[in-house]
Amino acid sequence: MKTFFNRHLNILDYAIGNLWRGRFRSVSILVVFTITVFMVASFSLLSNSLRSAAVQLLETVPEIIVQKLEAGRQVGISIDEIPKLDTIYGISEINPRIWGYYFDEINGANYTVIGDPRFGRDQLIPGLPLEMSSPEKLNPAISPAVVGTSFVQSRRVGQRSNFSLFRPDLSLKSFRIVGSFSDRSSMVTADLLVTTIEDARDLFQIQANQVTDLLVSVANPSEVNVIAGKIDKILAGSRVITRNQIQKTYQVAFGWRSGVGLICMLGAVTAFAILAWDRASSLSPDEAREVALMKMVGWQTSDVMLVRFWESAVLSTISFGLGYMAAWIHVLFFKGALFLPILLGWSVLKPPVVLVPVFRFSDLLLIGSLTIFPYLAATIIPAWRSGTVKPDALV
Amino acid sequence: MIRLEDAEKWYNRGEFNEVHALKKASLSVAPGEVVCVTGPSGSGKSTLLSLIGCVFPPTSGLVEVGGRKLSRLPDRFLTMHRQKVIGFIFQQFRLLPGQSVLDNIVLPLLPQGIPPAVQKQIAASLMERLSITARKDFPVDKISGGEQQRVAIARALVNNPAIILADEPTAHLDEQLSREFLAIVGELKRDGKTVVITSHDQRVTTDKVVDRVVEIVDGRIGSRDGNGYAH
Amino acid sequence: MIRHATFFLLFCLLFVCFNAALWIYSAKHQQTLAGDGLVPEIVGTLGLTDLCLATDARYIRHLSVSDPLSPYMNHPGALEHFPSSALYVPR
């Protein structure tokens, strides 16, 4: 047993000595290898952290959302439909709301507008934590609004608390900021404009008693699917979305985007494998003589291959260590600056993203198999070729 | 110690470039004997040395080295046997450039799983004996030819083999160093090692340390005694 | 005698330590992500369905309130479909 370890350690020593003697060559492979690991790992950690943020932040998304479809497209749903659901046992609350997007032509940003029935002209939504709030009696021409940080920045509202948005007929509608969200919550609130349901309806010129969706709260979480099924039957042509589906959709959306990114990265991995192959396969006459000598003095083919294996292993380990660490720092402290745009797409509003990757062993394996395996695969045949050099080349 | 009976060696047999390198060679070397194989280049000296050195088995005939028949021994076992009983000294020393004297000497010990402390001990006594201790940490390409020769000898002895094979050892050495080399061979002989040298160097073939000179011409072995008379 | 291998093993150890430090640091900072409980509260109260990561199109900002055609109809003049939308800002 001790001999076994000593044999490996001796050969490992010899391999490291080899790498050191071929410093220039080793370092060039090391650099490229590290960059490859860094790219793959950054990407994987980035999508990992976005996904885990989604899971963690969206724990409390509505249990059931009901929408109406017409010809496959979403249309408004009438609040007259709500009483029909009264017969379903297990629903604790139904909240209609208006959810829309306001495209600001001045700066090209998309705001998310929410009209909430609990929001009154003189009363904020109960239980909604806000950074700043100044509930006041407003004159009927001005509507109250609670806004997120990106909204404030992009509209350059500054100290003013009044702003106006266009209705579809290009008439202006005035708002006053009566509250704002803390920037600690900007991961979900940055682009929000929350107002009363009547004002949202007015802004978008939606017919009276129409809303975009219904939020259904369920007393017992284990009944969600049953209740969703019942709603689907009662409201013909409706689309019922459960919390579970939303969370899954999120996973898929980021999974897909990171998948596309990883496929782009395959090119880099392949190029790296080719480089590794090229570097390893050129068995120079000097190296051939060295191997012949080693075999002459009693090294087995397997010993020579072990040297090559340890050379690859040492290079892989060091590159992997450096690349993985750099990637983690890149994502954690630099917010994945190099790759975030690929995952996010273009946006005019740039919400402050907080990225905290979660350690998962499967990620480690994925990154390893995308980088180390191609390298080992590219070097194994050259290693075998060098191991099978005949000793009689020397005599 | 070494016994060849009708050993034949073909290269690429049956192909257009076949070579019949050794023809019905018979030779026997006793333990502690110093034998010099001489002959023009291309005569089969190297093939004979490789056969004795367990580099490859004979095509036919019998080769027995250190009490073991080599015919049909797989590569792996040839290598193991070579490691145990044979020490090689090559024509151009064949040291690993860039590595230190010590590293070169212990090279054969590495795959045997011998711990570094023991490696050092073995190497230290050899370096002492060959008086290259002072050069221990020098890269081998930074020391003189004579010292390189002694490093090569130390490496050949590091496994304490019973048989030492030297291929044209004096080809690149001057008068003085050749004499030194033959003196070392004399010491090995006193230690009871069997030594086989290939050389066409007069200084070697006529030296009194050589017990017997074997002549090989066109793959056939003839023999003379140390005084240069053919039998 | 210190082996090269020892240095190598030390490096491996160092790497594991550094990364473990990063892992632990990250695990501790998971809370900042949720704004110390603020985020789940807002999400729950308002019934939000999404992260506000990308605001370029509603199928990203609000996956649940979208329809199969929305990727093509959000921005006048823009085909907001993934690879190109990541690269080109519509003008």
Side-chain angles (χ1 to χ4, degrees):
Chain A
M1 201 60 195
K2 236 183 139 189
T3 315
F4 171 82
F5 275 118
N6 271 317
R7 169 172 172 254
H8 274 268
L9 284 174
N10 285 346
I11 290 179
L12 175 56
D13 272 348
Y14 186 81
I16 294 172
N18 264 354
L19 290 176
W20 179 248
R21 278 188 294 279
R23 259 160 301 207
F24 181 74
R25 182 164 136 159
S26 312
V27 165
S28 64
I29 288 185
L30 198 75
V31 167
V32 179
F33 202 161
T34 305
I35 291 174
T36 311
V37 173
F38 170 78
M39 297 211 301
V40 173
S42 287
F43 215 84
S44 144
L45 287 176
L46 201 60
S47 67
N48 155 342
S49 58
L50 283 174
R51 246 184 277 188
S52 72
V55 169
Q56 198 193 336
L57 299 183
L58 300 177
E59 266 170 18
T60 48
V61 301
E63 276 137 343
I64 298 175
I65 296 173
V66 183
Q67 299 167 351
K68 191 168 182 191
L69 296 187
E70 201 175 276
R73 304 172 73 164
Q74 195 206 337
V75 293
I77 185 167
S78 165
I79 46 174
D80 301 336
E81 308 267 21
I82 297 175
K84 290 188 194 166
L85 301 180
D86 283 349
T87 54
I88 303 174
Y89 183 76
I91 293 180
S92 61
E93 203 184 352
I94 299 177
N95 271 313
R97 77 163 169 200
I98 288 178
W99 179 298
Y101 300 94
Y102 183 86
F103 177 66
D104 192 338
E105 295 192 28
I106 297 162
N107 54 20
N110 256 315
Y111 306 126
T112 301
V113 178
I114 297 176
D116 193 302
R118 290 166 297 176
F119 197 172
R121 293 197 73 83
D122 45 9
Q123 184 211 339
L124 294 169
I125 300 173
L128 183 68
L130 295 174
E131 174 92 338
M132 179 281 286
S133 65
S134 54
E136 51 184 308
K137 286 265 181 218
L138 300 175
N139 88 50
I142 298 181
S143 316
V146 170
V147 293
T149 45
S150 289
F151 181 88
V152 174
Q153 281 160 17
S154 80
R155 292 290 301 197
R156 300 204 181 80
V157 177
Q159 296 305 311
R160 290 178 295 125
S161 52
N162 284 359
F163 63 92
S164 306
L165 301 178
F166 289 103
R167 296 193 185 86
D169 60 8
L170 299 185
S171 60
L172 280 169
K173 180 172 174 58
S174 301
F175 287 89
R176 167 164 296 181
I177 296 173
V178 297
S180 65
F181 292 104
S182 156
D183 55 4
R184 282 186 300 147
S185 67
S186 4
M187 279 286 271
V188 291
T189 59
D191 67 336
L192 281 190
L193 189 170
V194 183
T195 183
T196 69
I197 196 160
E198 292 80 18
D199 288 314
R201 213 174 262 145
D202 181 34
L203 176 67
F204 292 129
Q205 301 276 281
I206 295 172
Q207 286 173 355
N209 77 22
Q210 292 280 306
V211 294
T212 54
D213 42 9
L214 307 176
L215 304 187
V216 178
S217 305
V218 174
N220 180 358
S222 61
E223 289 177 358
V224 166
N225 285 335
V226 179
I227 292 173
K230 285 182 184 167
I231 296 174
D232 196 31
K233 257 182 213 150
I234 292 172
L235 300 181
S238 66
R239 173 162 65 173
V240 182
I241 301 162
T242 63
R243 174 185 289 177
N244 197 2
Q245 285 170 330
I246 292 177
Q247 286 169 346
K248 251 191 246 164
T249 311
Y250 235 96
Q251 300 277 341
V252 172
F254 277 117
W256 179 59
R257 284 195 162 204
S258 66
V260 170
L262 278 181
I263 286 170
C264 298
M265 221 137 276
L266 277 186
V269 171
T270 313
F272 167 64
I274 291 171
L275 174 89
W277 165 274
D278 184 51
R279 280 293 155 112
S281 64
S282 55
L283 187 65
S284 71
D286 277 345
E287 285 170 310
R289 260 202 299 279
E290 182 177 332
V291 173
L293 172 77
M294 286 155 77
K295 297 189 89 171
M296 208 62 173
V297 300
W299 290 55
Q300 297 283 1
T301 301
S302 59
D303 297 327
V304 178
M305 287 183 69
L306 202 59
V307 172
R308 301 286 168 256
F309 165 78
W310 276 119
E311 282 171 5
S312 297
V314 167
L315 274 182
S316 313
T317 313
I318 294 179
S319 314
F320 189 81
L322 292 177
Y324 183 74
M325 205 160 71
W328 196 285
I329 290 170
H330 170 221
V331 171
L332 189 59
F333 298 112
F334 295 94
K335 298 184 175 176
L338 292 180
F339 298 120
L340 196 60
I342 301 176
L343 281 178
L344 296 191
W346 58 269
S347 308
V348 173
L349 301 182
K350 295 272 192 299
V353 182
V354 183
L355 291 175
V356 185
V358 179
F359 172 69
R360 272 196 229 105
F361 193 65
S362 58
D363 281 345
L364 209 61
L365 276 186
L366 176 78
I367 300 164
S369 58
L370 274 177
T371 52
I372 294 179
F373 285 173
Y375 182 67
L376 291 184
T379 49
I380 192 151
I381 293 174
W384 173 77
R385 268 190 15 201
S386 110
T388 49
V389 167
K390 289 252 180 272
D392 48 330
L394 268 194
V395 186
Chain B
M1 183 70 9
I2 301 167
R3 196 156 64 95
L4 277 78
E5 274 173 24
D6 296 335
E8 299 248 334
K9 183 66 190 177
W10 291 78
Y11 294 109
N12 305 324
R13 191 170 192 179
E15 286 169 44
F16 71 94
N17 54 351
E18 66 172 13
V19 177
H20 195 182
L22 211 57
K23 296 164 188 161
K24 297 270 178 205
S26 297
L27 174 73
S28 148
V29 181
E33 201 177 3
V34 175
V35 174
C36 182
V37 179
T38 182
S41 51
S43 59
K45 279 190 312 234
S46 296
T47 305
L48 181 65
L49 203 68
S50 301
L51 269 182
I52 298 172
C54 314
V55 176
F56 41 64
T59 312
S60 67
L62 173 118
V63 176
E64 193 183 302
V65 177
R68 193 151 197 181
K69 293 193 179 85
L70 300 191
S71 329
R72 307 226 160 60
L73 212 54
D75 243 21
R76 206 181 137 68
F77 293 97
L78 271 179
T79 305
M80 277 165 67
H81 192 58
R82 186 161 70 232
Q83 185 182 58
K84 247 183 277 167
V85 299
I86 309 279
F88 276 103
I89 300 164
F90 302 100
Q91 189 172 357
Q92 284 152 328
F93 316 141
R94 299 290 185 201
L95 301 175
L96 295 181
Q99 304 201 26
S100 72
V101 167
L102 178 69
D103 287 346
N104 265 283
I105 294 174
V106 299
L107 183 72
L109 299 178
L110 300 185
Q112 300 175 44
I114 291 170
V118 180
Q119 293 173 19
K120 267 196 137 179
Q121 227 175 322
I122 297 172
S125 70
L126 284 170
M127 286 188 293
E128 186 66 46
R129 188 173 151 190
L130 294 162
S131 40
I132 42 174
T133 309
R135 293 278 181 262
K136 186 170 82 116
D137 294 318
F138 278 59
V140 285
D141 23 13
K142 297 270 172 1
I143 60 176
S144 72
E147 285 164 337
Q148 287 183 3
Q149 168 83 288
R150 278 177 277 162
V151 174
I153 295 170
R155 185 180 62 196
L157 293 176
V158 79
N159 272 323
N160 195 22
I163 302 169
I164 307 287
L165 304 181
D167 187 21
E168 300 284 355
T170 56
H172 297 272
L173 300 180
D174 60 23
E175 192 66 35
Q176 164 78 19
L177 290 174
S178 301
R179 237 179 288 136
E180 259 178 43
F181 172 75
L182 289 166
I184 294 170
V185 172
E187 274 179 47
L188 296 177
K189 189 179 173 185
R190 269 198 296 284
D191 290 349
K193 307 256 186 235
T194 308
V195 183
V196 178
I197 305 169
T198 66
S199 180
H200 48 247
D201 185 347
Q202 286 292 316
R203 292 172 302 200
V204 179
T205 51
T206 57
D207 195 276
K208 60 181 179 304
V209 76
V210 176
D211 296 315
R212 187 148 55 102
V213 175
V214 173
E215 198 164 2
I216 183 163
V217 178
D218 195 21
R220 290 177 203 284
I221 288 182
S223 194
R224 295 184 287 175
D225 63 19
N227 300 321
Y229 295 108
H231 286 279
Chain C
M1 180 179 176
I2 301 171
R3 287 171 172 275
H4 297 307
T6 319
F7 285 115
F8 174 64
L9 294 178
L10 273 179
F11 171 83
C12 293
L13 205 69
L14 204 70
F15 156 62
V16 170
C17 288
F18 261 118
N19 280 291
L22 284 170
W23 293 332
I24 292 166
Y25 178 87
S26 300
K28 281 206 170 147
H29 278 69
Q30 285 292 320
Q31 289 108 313
T32 57
L33 206 71
D36 302 312
L38 193 65
V39 171
E41 210 178 328
I42 293 175
V43 169
T45 313
L46 281 181
L48 300 180
T49 49
D50 276 292
L51 298 178
C52 175
L53 284 176
T55 55
D56 49 357
R58 68 165 173 266
Y59 70 103
I60 300 174
R61 175 68 175 109
H62 193 67
L63 294 164
S64 49
V65 186
S66 66
D67 57 68
L69 292 171
S70 64
Y72 301 100
M73 45 188 276
N74 202 293
H75 187 294
L79 293 184
E80 290 179 305
H81 207 33
F82 165 57
S84 65
S85 82
L87 302 174
Y88 296 107
V89 178
R91 291 276 172 224

